[in-house]
Amino acid sequence: MQQQSSQEKAYKVWQSAELAQTFLRGVRGAIPLAAEQIDVILRLIKLTQKQVNEFLDLGCGNGVLGQAIYQAYPSAKGYFLDISETMIASARENLKDYRQQSQLIVSDFSQSGWFNSLGNPEKFDVIVSGFAIHHQPNAQKKSIYQTIYGLLKPGGIFLNLEHVSSCSALGERAFDQLFVDSLYQFHQQHGSQQSRAEIDHQYYNRADKMANILTLVEHQCQWLREIGFQDVDCFMKIFEIALFGGIKPLMV
């Protein structure tokens, strides 16, 4: 019980406006290969969906994934859900060109029945999530994936861009070095005078680190297969960043 309570407390740090602002200002734009990740997401959507009428961006942050979907499918209706009011406010600003077709929701998808906060939409053609579900214990991850499966239309696609665990200490060190290098470059481009050593110290002592519950991508892909997803794959991976997902069968 104490372990679960600690995990819940760690996850709830994302409700802090200060932490959310820190992430938006200093981390989100520094994620390595972010443009390439979004390109792969859109390619997979285009390959699998004749059209996108409704989509869900789960743990949406500033709405960057949903915003990319809008650019490819400007008539779609998007649902954006996040635990943080600060993140939702940032998403609202970024999505102002699509305000009439966007539903922005402050809700905690770690809680049972979270999908009720969506109202009563049609089943989704696409569900995406970016760096959000890894904060949950494994049993909760599986439950969320099961709920996502139920929310998809037959033929709909789920794509999870996620922080996953490394299979080796070498992979973990390589990821940490890559991320610190990327953060340092991002801050330099935005006029920061911080040294790489200072960025490195902040990275290893960040407030949200305790909220991470990382899991191998291979295990998560197997969970998706067991739930019933087809064409499950890890479509892109660089150290501890992985894009994986699958399709709900047409006949279920």
Side-chain angles (χ1 to χ4, degrees):
M1 287 295 293
Q2 182 61 41
Q3 181 182 13
Q4 179 65 25
S5 177
S6 298
Q7 289 171 342
E8 289 176 354
K9 183 177 179 180
Y11 170 58
K12 294 297 178 65
V13 302
W14 282 103
Q15 290 179 304
S16 161
E18 181 180 0
L19 176 60
Q21 287 290 358
T22 298
F23 178 82
L24 292 170
R25 287 194 306 267
V27 179
R28 188 66 185 88
I31 292 174
L33 299 180
E36 290 81 359
Q37 293 157 13
I38 290 174
D39 178 70
V40 173
I41 287 172
L42 293 179
R43 287 176 181 273
L44 291 166
I45 293 172
K46 290 175 182 178
L47 277 170
T48 60
Q49 306 301 307
K50 291 183 179 179
Q51 60 184 1
V52 176
N53 295 314
E54 293 191 314
F55 68 86
L56 169 63
D57 188 345
L58 186 62
C60 65
N62 64 355
V64 63
L65 298 184
Q67 187 176 24
I69 294 173
Y70 274 144
Q71 290 169 357
Y73 301 92
S75 63
K77 181 174 182 180
Y79 291 74
F80 297 81
L81 185 148
D82 201 281
I83 191 175
S84 166
E85 293 183 2
T86 301
M87 293 291 193
I88 288 293
S90 178
R92 182 176 290 109
E93 175 63 23
N94 290 337
L95 299 165
K96 58 188 176 182
D97 291 341
Y98 305 96
R99 64 170 61 91
Q100 299 300 323
Q101 62 214 75
S102 298
Q103 185 81 23
L104 292 104
I105 304 150
V106 178
S107 185
D108 182 358
F109 63 73
S110 73
Q111 302 300 308
S112 61
W114 62 267
F115 49 87
N116 292 320
S117 64
L118 298 171
N120 190 30
E122 296 293 324
K123 297 283 188 175
F124 295 106
D125 302 290
V126 176
I127 298 178
V128 294
S129 185
F131 305 108
I133 299 174
H134 71 276
H135 300 305
Q136 305 304 320
N138 284 348
Q140 186 66 18
K141 287 187 181 78
K142 293 179 185 179
S143 176
I144 292 167
Y145 294 153
Q146 183 71 62
T147 299
I148 287 170
Y149 184 84
L151 290 172
L152 282 169
K153 293 179 180 177
I157 189 168
F158 167 52
L159 294 169
N160 190 16
L161 179 60
E162 190 59 289
H163 187 183
V164 301
S165 62
S166 290
C167 293
S168 66
L170 175 61
E172 183 176 354
R173 292 200 306 272
F175 172 76
D176 288 340
Q177 183 181 74
L178 171 67
F179 213 104
V180 172
D181 285 344
S182 186
L183 284 167
Y184 177 63
Q185 182 180 24
F186 176 81
H187 284 284
Q188 288 288 299
Q189 291 171 347
H190 288 78
S192 172
Q193 300 301 311
Q194 288 184 302
S195 68
R196 189 189 183 284
E198 289 172 319
I199 298 293
D200 183 84
H201 177 78
Q202 292 169 10
Y203 172 78
Y204 282 100
N205 294 278
R206 63 195 188 276
D208 64 288
K209 188 175 182 181
M210 63 179 179
N212 291 341
I213 306 174
L214 305 184
T215 308
L216 292 171
V217 66
E218 292 90 343
H219 292 173
Q220 297 186 70
C221 284
Q222 183 57 35
W223 299 342
L224 296 184
R225 295 185 186 99
E226 292 169 358
I227 288 168
F229 284 95
Q230 294 181 342
D231 289 317
V232 174
D233 206 343
C234 177
F235 300 104
M236 182 180 185
K237 187 174 187 293
I238 177 167
F239 304 131
E240 292 186 1
I241 295 176
L243 173 65
F244 63 96
I247 298 171
K248 183 173 182 176
L250 287 171
M251 301 294 293
V252 293

